[in-house]
Amino acid sequence: THVNEPHFFVDEQRVGPYAIWHHEHHFVQKEDGVEMTDIVSYKLPLGFLGRLVQPFLVAPKLNEIFAYRFKKVDELFT
């Protein structure tokens, strides 16, 4: 939804499983490469039920997704 090349871009879910999903991708040129930082803000649907399952279902899945991406980026660029 927002782009400021080559510094950052933002993607937001408009329709999908999250009530809110805002994902910022930031890039900083370093002497030995590029540092990439993600900032993710989200809200689950279903109020109390969403908050109840977040630490058991959602957080582990997000950690798995970002760990996989970290691994692939590392493989591709190092």
Side-chain angles (χ1 to χ4, degrees), residues 34-45:
V34 175
E35 178 181 79
M36 182 172 67
T37 303
D38 292 289
I39 301 171
V40 177
S41 303
Y42 65 91
K43 180 179 178 184
L44 297 174

Side-chain angles (χ1 to χ4, degrees), residues 2-9:
H2 309 291
V3 177
N4 181 354
E5 266 189 66
H7 306 289
F8 73 91
F9 69 93

Side-chain angles (χ1 to χ4, degrees), residues 3-71:
V3 177
N4 181 354
E5 266 189 66
H7 306 289
F8 73 91
F9 69 93
V10 176
D11 56 77
E12 296 177 336
Q13 174 197 278
R14 300 295 170 107
V15 176
Y18 294 88
I20 297 170
W21 176 269
H22 180 91
H23 181 185
E24 300 177 22
H25 310 256
H26 294 266
F27 306 93
V28 176
Q29 183 70 46
K30 298 289 184 169
E31 192 172 299
D32 60 341
V34 175
E35 178 181 79
M36 182 172 67
T37 303
D38 292 289
I39 301 171
V40 177
S41 303
Y42 65 91
K43 180 179 178 184
L44 297 174
L46 305 176
F48 172 75
L49 291 176
R51 290 190 302 277
L52 186 66
V53 301
Q54 192 277 337
F56 305 105
L57 298 176
V58 179
K61 187 63 175 174
L62 289 176
N63 288 334
E64 178 184 323
I65 289 167
F66 281 98
Y68 175 79
R69 194 184 76 179
F70 179 86
K71 178 183 169 197

